[in-house]
Amino acid sequence: MESRLAELEGITPTLATKSDVEAVRADLHKVSSEMKGWFIATAVLVLVGLFTIANIMVGTVRSHSERGVSSPPPPIVIQVPAAPAMRP
């Protein structure tokens, strides 16, 4: 019995107290709040970026369709006259 009691007395200083648990709980709450803020800010910035890219793409397609740029211009063909036949 004495050895078990001595063992428990040796472990007791390393156990968490109520104030230790409350401090850890407060730290976890603080970290959770900070992470939530970063997550929301990141999500908003990603959405703004996607809408900006979509707006640029739609604007580019509209400007090309308004200018009538639907196909490339026809190729330039140069005709060279045939060389005269050689006489023997």
Side-chain angles (χ1 to χ4, degrees):
M1 184 70 158
E2 299 248 350
S3 65
R4 290 177 66 187
L5 185 59
E7 187 178 326
L8 286 175
E9 287 175 350
I11 294 174
T12 303
T14 62
L15 297 177
T17 61
K18 186 175 181 178
S19 62
D20 292 337
V21 172
E22 290 298 324
V24 170
R25 182 176 290 154
D27 287 343
L28 287 175
H29 180 69
K30 179 182 174 188
V31 169
S32 174
S33 297
E34 289 175 359
M35 286 181 63
K36 188 185 334 177
W38 277 105
F39 177 76
I40 290 171
T42 303
V44 167
L45 288 176
V46 166
L47 288 174
V48 167
L50 288 174
F51 283 127
T52 302
I53 291 170
N55 192 16
I56 290 170
M57 290 174 63
V58 168
T60 303
V61 169
R62 282 186 183 161
S63 68
H64 282 294
S65 65
E66 289 172 358
R67 284 190 271 161
V69 180
S70 60
S71 63
I76 298 173
V77 178
I78 300 175
Q79 296 181 354
V80 179
M86 304 262 311
R87 295 187 185 185

